[in-house]
Amino acid sequence: MADSKREIERKYELPERPDTDETPGLPDLTGVGNVAAVRARGVQELDAVYYDTPALRLHADTLTLRRRTGGEDAGWHLKFPVATGIRDEIRAPLSDTLPPELAGLVRSRVRDAELIPVVRLRTSREVSLLLDARGAPLAEVAVDTVRARRLPGTGRKRADTAWTEVEVELADGADPAVLDAVEKKLRKAGLRPAASASKLARALGAGGRSTGDRPAGGTSAGGRAGGASPSAPVTAGDHVLAYLRAQVATIVTQDPAVRRDLPDSVHQLRVATRRLRSTFRTHRKVLDRTVTDPVGEELKWLAAELGVDRDHEVLSERLAARVGAVPGTLLLGPVRARLRIWSAGGRTGSRARTVAVLDSERYLTLLATLDALLAAPPLRPAAAKAPEKVLPARIEGAYHLLADRIDGALAMPPGPGRDLALHEARKAAKRVRYAAEAAVPALGKPAKRFARRIKAVQTVLGDHQDSVVAREVLRDLAVRAHAAGESAFTWGLLYGQEETQAERREHELPRVWEEAADPALRARLGVRSHG
């Protein structure tokens, strides 16, 4: 079974002595910050083999996957970047082959490519613990003498390198300020932050010392693989493609987060699929719809499958908040227990379904299709035009559709028909918002402000729809409670609260819509009046 650990560390390069190959030792860290004592823990001999695809897809996204023997945490380790100096390390027990749980976490990057050994690192690690006055650990300091060998299979020239570096890793629950204090001391001693983000990056690059040679220089393989970054968007097509790339990157990044059940990950993945599909539909003058329409249908399938998990999560949180706000004197019967049972039952089934979707061949094929589309985009003539000539018209078309749906919904009497019409208006609001967001780099503040106001409309419509769905569930829970001989009073109370909330949102919508439809803002954006 894999477990997870948040790793907060800083890496340093030891200064080289010009007249010798010897490496100077560390300064005494006793008294630095809250460090009351330094306890030596001896030397560990570590042997790690790093795995990646032949094209180094994991390395391109700054992920590392290794199988390591020696030390206290022998096994398989998969590291995800969180922020500078912070990574999440997923660990699995030592085995001959990659554990399935880790294989799933890299699938969105690896796809059907083979994982092969790319680098072997043998490290002699001298470990010391920094302790506070109570003897509690503050950080671990490791002086690593590393010998690295690039292995065949990646197309890179085989080379052996060696170097010495220092890692300072924060202890669990310790104040990160200790890292700042230690860094100040190390810098005074001549150490500098490492140029490479990881040992693997250094081994794959030109950094480090060639075995038996003098220092080769301080170059690094840090950063993304694949050459220089794309040039800044110039045409309308450039802007649309940049937005699409960002959404595909979000899908790939959120895939392992969903598998790890991280907060909001399903929502982020689902939103990215919706933004992609919405962009395909909005920009049919830029991208050939005969190519994008089939992809859009697959994105619709994925969003619907993800919705099973996400919708249940949102509804559970909403109902739990409602129950939590009810005075104890009005909680008649085992309301909380029944809600927990309903929530847990739906969550278990929906989560298993979501993971199965991410493991499916259909999903992997969709990812490959998106890659192929971005590699050879089906651009139409409008893509070559200036964004100021193309993007406002695409926003305008989506805006007019939204205006028609809101006007139609508000003209209907309250009831199921109006609820459905408002739900369709919500979908149209998302399309307008996404179109405006994609245009922000080209159109600037007017597009950003317009997107923010449309988001307010979407929020009102979204809360209204959530209330509609919540009432359906509350009625079902009331029926179950009654059949079990329990009081259904509280469920009826909650139903009434949701009904009132929906009415408030309906009354709020005209004002929010009027602000979003501000003629002056639309004129600055180049969106003509509806009518």
Side-chain angles (χ1 to χ4, degrees), residues 398-469:
Y399 165 78
H400 288 170
L401 174 64
L402 171 60
D404 285 339
R405 290 188 177 180
I406 287 183
D407 290 346
L410 292 177
M412 299 175 68
R418 190 182 201 186
D419 292 342
L420 180 59
L422 289 172
H423 181 45
E424 293 301 315
R426 178 194 185 190
K427 296 178 184 178
K430 289 180 181 179
R431 186 171 172 182
V432 178
R433 174 189 166 193
Y434 298 156
E437 288 175 345
V440 168
L443 306 182
K445 290 183 179 179
K448 186 175 183 179
R449 188 173 296 119
F450 187 62
R452 185 167 59 246
R453 293 189 181 182
I454 294 296
K455 182 180 179 181
V457 174
Q458 178 189 330
T459 298
V460 170
L461 293 170
D463 191 47
H464 181 275
Q465 175 62 17
D466 288 347
S467 177
V468 172
V469 176

Side-chain angles (χ1 to χ4, degrees), residues 78-278:
L78 173 61
K79 298 188 180 185
F80 289 93
V82 176
T84 302
I86 304 176
R87 294 186 292 183
D88 279 345
E89 182 177 89
I90 316 300
R91 299 174 177 176
L94 192 64
S95 60
D96 292 336
T97 58
L98 180 64
E101 55 265 43
L102 297 192
L105 294 178
V106 298
R107 186 164 289 123
S108 64
R109 270 99 171 177
V110 173
R111 315 285 172 78
D112 57 355
E114 181 185 8
L115 283 168
I116 62 172
V118 295
V119 167
R120 182 182 183 187
L121 294 180
R122 286 173 288 178
T123 303
S124 183
R125 168 168 289 181
E126 185 176 354
V127 180
S128 299
L129 281 181
L130 308 185
L131 308 175
D132 65 13
R134 298 174 301 166
L138 297 172
E140 179 181 275
V141 180
V143 180
D144 289 342
T145 302
V146 185
R147 296 176 64 86
R149 168 166 291 187
R150 288 204 297 262
L151 304 175
T154 64
R156 296 189 175 213
K157 183 178 179 181
R158 178 171 173 168
D160 292 351
T161 54
W163 68 90
T164 300
E165 66 181 33
V166 175
E167 289 185 358
V168 184
E169 182 175 348
L170 189 70
D172 293 343
D175 186 349
V178 71
L179 297 180
D180 295 330
V182 170
E183 177 163 319
K184 185 176 180 180
K185 181 74 171 182
L186 294 181
R187 281 180 173 268
K188 285 184 177 180
L191 280 76
R192 292 292 179 266
S196 297
S198 67
K199 291 181 176 66
L200 175 63
R202 186 164 185 171
L204 288 171
R209 181 187 300 186
S210 298
T211 302
D213 294 340
R214 302 300 297 173
T219 56
S220 167
R224 294 184 65 86
S229 60
S231 58
V234 176
T235 66
D238 290 334
H239 281 276
V240 172
L241 290 175
Y243 188 74
L244 293 176
R245 289 191 187 96
Q247 307 318 312
V248 173
T250 297
I251 292 176
V252 171
T253 301
Q254 292 299 324
D255 175 302
V258 170
R259 296 172 187 272
R260 295 170 59 195
D261 203 18
L262 296 185
D264 206 38
S265 56
V266 174
H267 174 61
Q268 293 298 327
L269 202 163
R270 190 185 187 194
V271 167
T273 65
R274 285 175 165 173
R275 283 176 169 154
L276 281 169
R277 182 167 178 256
S278 179

